[in-house]
Amino acid sequence: MAQRHSDGNKLLMTVLYMVAACSAVPINDLLDRASQRSDKLHSLSTTLSHDLDFNFPPIGRMAMPRPSMCHTSSLQTPSDKEQALQVSESELLSLARSLLQAWADPLVVLSTSANTLPHPAQSTISNKIQELQEHTKSLGDGLDILSGKMGPAAQLISSLPYRGGNDIGQDRISKLVNFNFLLSCFRRDSHKIDSFLKVLRCRAAKLRPEMC
């Protein structure tokens, strides 16, 4: 019992130390780290999309749902860099955090489905989905710290529930189509998150808009 209590104290002290260390990091440095992680996240999702395109049946492309069917499509976001530059820093961070948090459950669905995906690169795809989950968690933790430094508005999260269920299909075509569609939605959102964080980093560095 005493050993367990001691271990618990050590863990608590470690957590407190990490929080204190992160709190001491300047916002510019935190934004640099977040931007690097979001860039990795988007690059990984793009690579995954290319892996899936290999051996993807032509009929599957015709059956792909429209982007407006993505579960995050209801969130109003800037459509390009020019619009993003007009949005406040706190709101941009809130949008990035809302999009990222909306993928907690769908990424679990992708991870589970990847284990039995009827695709020649199934093992590679499964491993990369696990990487996506890890990078998403790491980025989310970093953005939580950032939001604490940027005020209450940055801590607001828009609820974007995923209602697609855990079953992506019964036959080969439907499994590939639904998996590819869900991944395409993530790729689109990861691009938005990356763009928003790059604009935030640019502003923090006080660069001219045309340099962002």
Side-chain angles (χ1 to χ4, degrees), residues 37-56:
R37 289 172 184 171
S38 66
D39 184 72
K40 175 64 177 177
L41 199 65
H42 181 55
S43 297
L44 189 56
S45 66
T46 300
T47 302
L48 259 169
S49 295
H50 292 160
D51 290 340
L52 270 173
D53 281 344
F54 171 68
N55 206 44
F56 192 69

PDB file of all heavy atoms in Angstrom, residues 37-56:
ATOM      1  N   ARG A  37       3.320  19.571 -35.806  1.00  0.00           N
ATOM      2  CA  ARG A  37       2.522  18.359 -35.609  1.00  0.00           C
ATOM      3  C   ARG A  37       1.348  18.302 -36.578  1.00  0.00           C
ATOM      4  O   ARG A  37       1.020  17.240 -37.112  1.00  0.00           O
ATOM      5  CB  ARG A  37       2.022  18.294 -34.163  1.00  0.00           C
ATOM      6  CG  ARG A  37       3.121  18.013 -33.153  1.00  0.00           C
ATOM      7  CD  ARG A  37       2.623  18.145 -31.730  1.00  0.00           C
ATOM      8  NE  ARG A  37       3.707  17.963 -30.772  1.00  0.00           N
ATOM      9  CZ  ARG A  37       3.587  18.202 -29.467  1.00  0.00           C
ATOM     10  NH1 ARG A  37       2.433  18.638 -28.982  1.00  0.00           N
ATOM     11  NH2 ARG A  37       4.615  18.008 -28.657  1.00  0.00           N
ATOM     12  N   SER A  38       0.702  19.445 -36.800  1.00  0.00           N
ATOM     13  CA  SER A  38      -0.443  19.463 -37.724  1.00  0.00           C
ATOM     14  C   SER A  38       0.012  19.206 -39.153  1.00  0.00           C
ATOM     15  O   SER A  38      -0.692  18.571 -39.940  1.00  0.00           O
ATOM     16  CB  SER A  38      -1.182  20.800 -37.632  1.00  0.00           C
ATOM     17  OG  SER A  38      -0.384  21.875 -38.099  1.00  0.00           O
ATOM     18  N   ASP A  39       1.208  19.698 -39.490  1.00  0.00           N
ATOM     19  CA  ASP A  39       1.761  19.441 -40.820  1.00  0.00           C
ATOM     20  C   ASP A  39       2.006  17.943 -41.003  1.00  0.00           C
ATOM     21  O   ASP A  39       1.711  17.375 -42.060  1.00  0.00           O
ATOM     22  CB  ASP A  39       3.065  20.211 -40.995  1.00  0.00           C
ATOM     23  CG  ASP A  39       3.639  20.073 -42.400  1.00  0.00           C
ATOM     24  OD1 ASP A  39       3.065  20.656 -43.335  1.00  0.00           O
ATOM     25  OD2 ASP A  39       4.657  19.371 -42.562  1.00  0.00           O
ATOM     26  N   LYS A  40       2.544  17.300 -39.974  1.00  0.00           N
ATOM     27  CA  LYS A  40       2.776  15.857 -40.019  1.00  0.00           C
ATOM     28  C   LYS A  40       1.464  15.106 -40.154  1.00  0.00           C
ATOM     29  O   LYS A  40       1.359  14.123 -40.907  1.00  0.00           O
ATOM     30  CB  LYS A  40       3.515  15.425 -38.752  1.00  0.00           C
ATOM     31  CG  LYS A  40       3.720  13.927 -38.607  1.00  0.00           C
ATOM     32  CD  LYS A  40       4.596  13.370 -39.702  1.00  0.00           C
ATOM     33  CE  LYS A  40       4.858  11.882 -39.516  1.00  0.00           C
ATOM     34  NZ  LYS A  40       5.669  11.312 -40.620  1.00  0.00           N
ATOM     35  N   LEU A  41       0.443  15.575 -39.436  1.00  0.00           N
ATOM     36  CA  LEU A  41      -0.874  14.938 -39.457  1.00  0.00           C
ATOM     37  C   LEU A  41      -1.466  14.984 -40.866  1.00  0.00           C
ATOM     38  O   LEU A  41      -1.955  13.976 -41.387  1.00  0.00           O
ATOM     39  CB  LEU A  41      -1.796  15.649 -38.466  1.00  0.00           C
ATOM     40  CG  LEU A  41      -3.041  14.902 -37.994  1.00  0.00           C
ATOM     41  CD1 LEU A  41      -2.651  13.667 -37.200  1.00  0.00           C
ATOM     42  CD2 LEU A  41      -3.907  15.827 -37.141  1.00  0.00           C
ATOM     43  N   HIS A  42      -1.397  16.151 -41.489  1.00  0.00           N
ATOM     44  CA  HIS A  42      -1.956  16.296 -42.840  1.00  0.00           C
ATOM     45  C   HIS A  42      -1.140  15.499 -43.856  1.00  0.00           C
ATOM     46  O   HIS A  42      -1.714  14.864 -44.753  1.00  0.00           O
ATOM     47  CB  HIS A  42      -2.004  17.772 -43.236  1.00  0.00           C
ATOM     48  CG  HIS A  42      -2.580  17.999 -44.594  1.00  0.00           C
ATOM     49  ND1 HIS A  42      -3.827  17.518 -44.969  1.00  0.00           N
ATOM     50  CD2 HIS A  42      -2.089  18.644 -45.689  1.00  0.00           C
ATOM     51  CE1 HIS A  42      -4.073  17.861 -46.225  1.00  0.00           C
ATOM     52  NE2 HIS A  42      -3.033  18.524 -46.679  1.00  0.00           N
ATOM     53  N   SER A  43       0.168  15.508 -43.726  1.00  0.00           N
ATOM     54  CA  SER A  43       1.021  14.742 -44.641  1.00  0.00           C
ATOM     55  C   SER A  43       0.725  13.252 -44.548  1.00  0.00           C
ATOM     56  O   SER A  43       0.669  12.548 -45.566  1.00  0.00           O
ATOM     57  CB  SER A  43       2.504  14.989 -44.337  1.00  0.00           C
ATOM     58  OG  SER A  43       2.846  16.331 -44.543  1.00  0.00           O
ATOM     59  N   LEU A  44       0.519  12.780 -43.325  1.00  0.00           N
ATOM     60  CA  LEU A  44       0.240  11.365 -43.110  1.00  0.00           C
ATOM     61  C   LEU A  44      -1.113  10.975 -43.700  1.00  0.00           C
ATOM     62  O   LEU A  44      -1.249   9.910 -44.325  1.00  0.00           O
ATOM     63  CB  LEU A  44       0.275  11.056 -41.620  1.00  0.00           C
ATOM     64  CG  LEU A  44       0.223   9.588 -41.190  1.00  0.00           C
ATOM     65  CD1 LEU A  44       1.352   8.794 -41.845  1.00  0.00           C
ATOM     66  CD2 LEU A  44       0.322   9.484 -39.669  1.00  0.00           C
ATOM     67  N   SER A  45      -2.114  11.832 -43.519  1.00  0.00           N
ATOM     68  CA  SER A  45      -3.440  11.535 -44.086  1.00  0.00           C
ATOM     69  C   SER A  45      -3.405  11.557 -45.610  1.00  0.00           C
ATOM     70  O   SER A  45      -4.109  10.782 -46.274  1.00  0.00           O
ATOM     71  CB  SER A  45      -4.485  12.528 -43.559  1.00  0.00           C
ATOM     72  OG  SER A  45      -4.228  13.839 -44.014  1.00  0.00           O
ATOM     73  N   THR A  46      -2.570  12.431 -46.185  1.00  0.00           N
ATOM     74  CA  THR A  46      -2.423  12.490 -47.638  1.00  0.00           C
ATOM     75  C   THR A  46      -1.755  11.218 -48.160  1.00  0.00           C
ATOM     76  O   THR A  46      -2.187  10.644 -49.173  1.00  0.00           O
ATOM     77  CB  THR A  46      -1.587  13.719 -48.051  1.00  0.00           C
ATOM     78  OG1 THR A  46      -2.243  14.905 -47.601  1.00  0.00           O
ATOM     79  CG2 THR A  46      -1.415  13.777 -49.559  1.00  0.00           C
ATOM     80  N   THR A  47      -0.728  10.767 -47.460  1.00  0.00           N
ATOM     81  CA  THR A  47      -0.049   9.526 -47.842  1.00  0.00           C
ATOM     82  C   THR A  47      -1.005   8.335 -47.757  1.00  0.00           C
ATOM     83  O   THR A  47      -1.016   7.460 -48.628  1.00  0.00           O
ATOM     84  CB  THR A  47       1.164   9.273 -46.923  1.00  0.00           C
ATOM     85  OG1 THR A  47       2.059  10.372 -47.003  1.00  0.00           O
ATOM     86  CG2 THR A  47       1.896   8.007 -47.318  1.00  0.00           C
ATOM     87  N   LEU A  48      -1.821   8.316 -46.724  1.00  0.00           N
ATOM     88  CA  LEU A  48      -2.801   7.252 -46.555  1.00  0.00           C
ATOM     89  C   LEU A  48      -3.808   7.240 -47.716  1.00  0.00           C
ATOM     90  O   LEU A  48      -4.183   6.166 -48.209  1.00  0.00           O
ATOM     91  CB  LEU A  48      -3.547   7.442 -45.236  1.00  0.00           C
ATOM     92  CG  LEU A  48      -3.103   6.561 -44.071  1.00  0.00           C
ATOM     93  CD1 LEU A  48      -3.739   7.044 -42.781  1.00  0.00           C
ATOM     94  CD2 LEU A  48      -3.466   5.114 -44.327  1.00  0.00           C
ATOM     95  N   SER A  49      -4.231   8.412 -48.126  1.00  0.00           N
ATOM     96  CA  SER A  49      -5.170   8.513 -49.249  1.00  0.00           C
ATOM     97  C   SER A  49      -4.551   7.939 -50.518  1.00  0.00           C
ATOM     98  O   SER A  49      -5.226   7.252 -51.296  1.00  0.00           O
ATOM     99  CB  SER A  49      -5.579   9.974 -49.479  1.00  0.00           C
ATOM    100  OG  SER A  49      -6.302  10.477 -48.378  1.00  0.00           O
ATOM    101  N   HIS A  50      -3.269   8.209 -50.726  1.00  0.00           N
ATOM    102  CA  HIS A  50      -2.568   7.663 -51.892  1.00  0.00           C
ATOM    103  C   HIS A  50      -2.461   6.145 -51.795  1.00  0.00           C
ATOM    104  O   HIS A  50      -2.592   5.444 -52.799  1.00  0.00           O
ATOM    105  CB  HIS A  50      -1.178   8.288 -52.003  1.00  0.00           C
ATOM    106  CG  HIS A  50      -1.209   9.737 -52.357  1.00  0.00           C
ATOM    107  ND1 HIS A  50      -0.146  10.583 -52.132  1.00  0.00           N
ATOM    108  CD2 HIS A  50      -2.181  10.505 -52.910  1.00  0.00           C
ATOM    109  CE1 HIS A  50      -0.457  11.810 -52.533  1.00  0.00           C
ATOM    110  NE2 HIS A  50      -1.692  11.776 -53.001  1.00  0.00           N
ATOM    111  N   ASP A  51      -2.231   5.627 -50.587  1.00  0.00           N
ATOM    112  CA  ASP A  51      -2.176   4.174 -50.400  1.00  0.00           C
ATOM    113  C   ASP A  51      -3.513   3.532 -50.764  1.00  0.00           C
ATOM    114  O   ASP A  51      -3.562   2.460 -51.387  1.00  0.00           O
ATOM    115  CB  ASP A  51      -1.840   3.832 -48.942  1.00  0.00           C
ATOM    116  CG  ASP A  51      -0.411   4.186 -48.570  1.00  0.00           C
ATOM    117  OD1 ASP A  51       0.426   4.343 -49.479  1.00  0.00           O
ATOM    118  OD2 ASP A  51      -0.139   4.330 -47.359  1.00  0.00           O
ATOM    119  N   LEU A  52      -4.600   4.192 -50.364  1.00  0.00           N
ATOM    120  CA  LEU A  52      -5.929   3.658 -50.638  1.00  0.00           C
ATOM    121  C   LEU A  52      -6.289   3.735 -52.119  1.00  0.00           C
ATOM    122  O   LEU A  52      -6.998   2.872 -52.641  1.00  0.00           O
ATOM    123  CB  LEU A  52      -6.979   4.429 -49.822  1.00  0.00           C
ATOM    124  CG  LEU A  52      -7.309   3.891 -48.429  1.00  0.00           C
ATOM    125  CD1 LEU A  52      -8.229   4.858 -47.712  1.00  0.00           C
ATOM    126  CD2 LEU A  52      -7.964   2.525 -48.519  1.00  0.00           C
ATOM    127  N   ASP A  53      -5.811   4.771 -52.789  1.00  0.00           N
ATOM    128  CA  ASP A  53      -6.109   4.927 -54.215  1.00  0.00           C
ATOM    129  C   ASP A  53      -5.587   3.746 -55.024  1.00  0.00           C
ATOM    130  O   ASP A  53      -6.156   3.384 -56.051  1.00  0.00           O
ATOM    131  CB  ASP A  53      -5.498   6.230 -54.751  1.00  0.00           C
ATOM    132  CG  ASP A  53      -6.340   7.439 -54.390  1.00  0.00           C
ATOM    133  OD1 ASP A  53      -7.511   7.246 -54.012  1.00  0.00           O
ATOM    134  OD2 ASP A  53      -5.820   8.571 -54.469  1.00  0.00           O
ATOM    135  N   PHE A  54      -4.489   3.160 -54.544  1.00  0.00           N
ATOM    136  CA  PHE A  54      -3.956   1.974 -55.201  1.00  0.00           C
ATOM    137  C   PHE A  54      -4.942   0.825 -55.015  1.00  0.00           C
ATOM    138  O   PHE A  54      -5.320   0.489 -53.902  1.00  0.00           O
ATOM    139  CB  PHE A  54      -2.597   1.605 -54.594  1.00  0.00           C
ATOM    140  CG  PHE A  54      -2.061   0.277 -55.050  1.00  0.00           C
ATOM    141  CD1 PHE A  54      -1.658   0.100 -56.365  1.00  0.00           C
ATOM    142  CD2 PHE A  54      -1.996  -0.787 -54.169  1.00  0.00           C
ATOM    143  CE1 PHE A  54      -1.178  -1.136 -56.788  1.00  0.00           C
ATOM    144  CE2 PHE A  54      -1.508  -2.014 -54.579  1.00  0.00           C
ATOM    145  CZ  PHE A  54      -1.103  -2.188 -55.894  1.00  0.00           C
ATOM    146  N   ASN A  55      -5.380   0.250 -56.112  1.00  0.00           N
ATOM    147  CA  ASN A  55      -6.312  -0.880 -56.109  1.00  0.00           C
ATOM    148  C   ASN A  55      -7.723  -0.495 -55.653  1.00  0.00           C
ATOM    149  O   ASN A  55      -8.492  -1.346 -55.194  1.00  0.00           O
ATOM    150  CB  ASN A  55      -5.778  -2.012 -55.211  1.00  0.00           C
ATOM    151  CG  ASN A  55      -6.304  -3.374 -55.623  1.00  0.00           C
ATOM    152  OD1 ASN A  55      -6.336  -3.697 -56.810  1.00  0.00           O
ATOM    153  ND2 ASN A  55      -6.722  -4.177 -54.652  1.00  0.00           N
ATOM    154  N   PHE A  56      -8.071   0.793 -55.756  1.00  0.00           N
ATOM    155  CA  PHE A  56      -9.431   1.232 -55.417  1.00  0.00           C
ATOM    156  C   PHE A  56     -10.301   1.069 -56.665  1.00  0.00           C
ATOM    157  O   PHE A  56      -9.975   1.613 -57.722  1.00  0.00           O
ATOM    158  CB  PHE A  56      -9.422   2.686 -54.951  1.00  0.00           C
ATOM    159  CG  PHE A  56     -10.718   3.135 -54.326  1.00  0.00           C
ATOM    160  CD1 PHE A  56     -11.115   2.634 -53.094  1.00  0.00           C
ATOM    161  CD2 PHE A  56     -11.540   4.043 -54.971  1.00  0.00           C
ATOM    162  CE1 PHE A  56     -12.300   3.043 -52.510  1.00  0.00           C
ATOM    163  CE2 PHE A  56     -12.730   4.458 -54.389  1.00  0.00           C
ATOM    164  CZ  PHE A  56     -13.110   3.956 -53.157  1.00  0.00           C
TER     165      PHE A  56
END
